[in-house]
Amino acid sequence: MVGSVDESGSLFSGRELLAIAWIGLTTVVALNVIVRWTNGGLIDKIQGATPTYWPISIFTFRLGRLRPAWAIGATAAAIFVFMLAGVYCCRRKNRIAPVVVAGLLLLGLSNLVHGFDHGFVAPLATRQGYYQLAPTIADPLAFVGNYEANQLSYVVHARTHPPGAVLTFTLLDRLFGSRALVSAAIALVSLPASSLLLYRLVGTYYDRDVAWYVTVLFVLLPAVQIYFLASLDAIIATLMLGAVYFFTRESRLALVGSFVCLLVVSSQMFLFVFLLPVLAAIAVRRREKRVPFAAIVLGLVAFYAFVDVALGYDYLHSFTIASNQQNPGGFLLTAKPAWYVYSRLEDVAELALFFTPFCCLLAARGARALRRDVLGRGGWLPENARERDPLVIAGTAIGSFVALLAAGVYHTGETARGAMYLYPFLLLPVAAALRRIAPDERERWLLAAAVFGQSLLMQLVGGYLW
């Protein structure tokens, strides 16, 4: 039986949600003014140290450029779909399929607020994106073999990632041949897969009802509603979640699934190392996972050693080139101390904004509950053994991400997009809080409405293209 902590016994009332929203908005505005003032007044202004609209690195106001027909129609349709999904789900509880369908419809409608071209085509038309290079790849093997020699000549995204990122879009381009269809394909694969994986992972440790509602919150998050269309990071987030989910299973087939997910992620981004401490922490806690973890690591090393021998692609050397490109002056803290400090604050604030202040508060309550009820003062508490894995996974994921930030990662923009893989793990303490609070139907849908309301409002006021 899960122990109780000093929880209020309720989620958020309507007044509390409005108060949280107002405090969140005024805090962002105030901090935006303070950061810009200190960067431009108290210290010498450093070009690029702070974004124009802090803390969102890549952002343009679009409220005045919206086409009324698209904006009004898509917004009204999105609100209608949300209300219809809420009524349907109240009658047929705990079914994941309606959540996925509603999430996909809302994702499409919230992006159609800007019109079809800006919502579905423009995200892949940016000059520095992978898609600009992808259609030019005629021979994928030759591309991999020559990658290091040409890496610095590629567009920004390509030169800071392994070749798999470009090849993913090459494959999608050959399959669909249209930017709009590629954008839709990414959403149609990533959102259902990540939703199901999160539902199954949370459901391993909590009641089905808690897992279902956490999945509802996930598909409504601003990070998902804004970036799960057209962004490669949506695929990466899904694969990272899959690697952890399969690693927690007991079958050998699941172990293969975890290795495949991790292998594909490593071909997409060098920051796949974020996952290694998470898997290692699970292996430390569960002795039977130590050999599988060692096998996964050795398998990755063996694979890239084979690629080096067969194709001449040196993964570590490619990483060094990307790192030097990102930080030409060396470690950011010593090269640009002010930029380092400002960008660390920006990273955390941007992640929190796209997670919504409501979920941030709920996650904090859940983290406190896990610490008290599971860890206790003298070690693991046996009566709460079921929640040990969520505590380990969420705690290690946050710690691993903090280590990346300390190393100077994420200072060129869009942390909420680039670190989208963190959000599913942040929802584990949210599940812990929900398990203890046991909110009623009205409270749950008020919170869901607040989360989606922020997503829709953010879509209406701005554009978030790279």
Side-chain angles (χ1 to χ4, degrees):
M1 184 72 179
V2 176
S4 62
V5 294
D6 55 336
E7 302 294 343
S8 66
S10 63
L11 205 51
F12 301 112
S13 67
R15 288 185 178 181
E16 288 173 331
L17 290 172
L18 289 174
I20 293 168
W22 175 250
I23 293 171
L25 177 61
T26 54
T27 300
V28 169
V29 173
L31 288 175
N32 186 69
V33 172
I34 292 170
V35 167
R36 293 177 67 180
W37 174 61
T38 55
N39 185 37
L42 296 183
I43 64 173
D44 292 334
K45 185 171 179 61
I46 300 174
Q47 185 66 29
T50 57
T52 303
Y53 302 103
W54 192 91
I56 308 174
S57 303
I58 306 299
F59 175 83
T60 56
F61 269 114
R62 291 191 54 84
L63 192 58
R65 290 180 287 170
L66 292 176
R67 297 179 180 179
W70 281 104
I72 296 173
T75 301
I79 294 172
F80 175 76
V81 169
F82 175 81
M83 295 176 63
L84 183 64
V87 172
Y88 183 86
C89 289
C90 285
R91 294 179 178 177
R92 297 173 179 253
K93 293 184 178 181
N94 300 337
R95 293 191 178 185
I96 197 64
V99 175
V100 172
V101 173
L104 284 171
L105 289 174
L106 293 174
L107 176 61
L109 290 169
S110 67
N111 280 275
L112 283 175
V113 162
H114 302 286
F116 183 79
D117 286 340
H118 188 84
F120 280 75
V121 179
L124 293 180
T126 54
R127 291 179 299 171
Q128 301 299 335
Y130 310 103
Y131 198 84
Q132 304 308 310
L133 180 61
T136 68
I137 307 302
D139 185 343
L141 294 181
F143 174 71
V144 173
N146 298 321
Y147 195 78
E148 293 163 78
N150 301 319
Q151 191 167 343
L152 292 178
S153 67
Y154 294 143
V155 294
V156 170
H157 280 181
R159 75 178 70 144
T160 55
H161 286 253
V166 175
L167 293 179
T168 296
F169 278 102
T170 301
L171 174 63
L172 291 172
D173 181 69
R174 292 182 179 179
L175 288 175
F176 302 104
S178 162
R179 287 173 179 164
L181 290 178
V182 169
S183 296
I186 291 174
L188 288 170
V189 171
S190 300
L191 193 143
S194 57
S195 298
L196 181 60
L197 288 167
L198 180 65
Y199 175 71
R200 296 291 298 273
L201 180 66
V202 176
T204 303
Y205 311 107
Y206 297 99
D207 295 339
R208 183 180 177 184
D209 185 60
V210 171
W212 177 84
Y213 184 62
V214 167
T215 309
V216 170
L217 293 179
F218 172 74
V219 301
L220 299 177
L221 288 177
V224 173
Q225 287 294 310
I226 292 172
Y227 290 126
F228 254 59
L229 186 75
S231 176
L232 177 69
D233 298 282
I235 297 175
I236 290 171
T238 303
L239 290 168
M240 283 200 173
L241 180 58
V244 173
Y245 169 74
F246 289 124
F247 192 71
T248 61
R249 306 301 97 182
E250 300 299 333
S251 71
R252 293 182 179 178
L253 184 60
L255 176 62
V256 174
S258 181
F259 172 73
V260 170
C261 286
L262 194 59
L263 180 62
V264 176
V265 168
S266 69
S267 73
Q268 308 295 306
M269 64 184 303
F270 294 113
L271 293 183
F272 83 96
V273 294
F274 161 86
L275 271 187
L276 296 182
V278 178
L279 301 183
I282 297 173
V284 168
R285 202 193 77 75
R286 296 169 57 179
R287 182 173 299 180
E288 72 275 9
K289 293 295 181 181
R290 294 175 186 176
V291 172
F293 175 71
I296 286 175
V297 174
L298 290 175
L300 287 173
V301 173
F303 175 81
Y304 283 108
F306 172 77
V307 170
D308 191 7
V309 172
L311 300 177
Y313 173 72
D314 187 335
Y315 191 86
L316 292 179
H317 183 238
S318 181
F319 165 73
T320 302
I321 295 173
S323 180
N324 291 335
Q325 170 66 26
Q326 288 280 74
N327 300 289
F331 182 37
L332 194 62
L333 176 59
T334 56
K336 298 180 179 179
W339 196 341
Y340 178 89
V341 173
Y342 277 88
S343 58
R344 302 311 90 190
L345 294 173
E346 175 194 325
D347 291 334
V348 175
E350 189 174 6
L351 282 167
L353 177 63
F354 280 79
F355 194 53
T356 75
F358 320 108
C359 289
C360 286
L361 289 173
L362 205 53
R365 295 169 73 177
R368 182 181 61 187
L370 284 173
R371 181 176 59 83
R372 293 182 181 182
D373 286 0
V374 181
L375 189 58
R377 294 182 177 180
W380 299 113
L381 300 180
E383 63 269 24
N384 293 309
R386 189 174 184 82
E387 284 192 302
R388 290 179 185 176
D389 271 5
L391 177 62
V392 168
I393 293 170
T396 310
I398 293 171
S400 183
F401 184 74
V402 168
L404 292 180
L405 293 184
V409 176
Y410 296 119
H411 63 276
T412 56
E414 289 190 293
T415 311
R417 174 193 55 79
M420 204 186 306
Y421 52 79
L422 186 62
Y423 289 112
F425 304 115
L426 292 178
L427 285 168
L428 287 173
V430 169
L434 291 168
R435 169 65 179 83
R436 288 159 175 78
I437 297 171
D440 59 32
E441 207 70 32
R442 179 178 177 275
E443 290 176 325
R444 297 204 306 180
W445 286 103
L446 275 175
L447 175 59
V451 171
F452 181 65
Q454 179 177 326
S455 299
L456 196 56
L457 180 62
M458 290 176 68
Q459 286 280 38
L460 281 167
V461 301
Y464 306 84
L465 301 182
W466 175 260

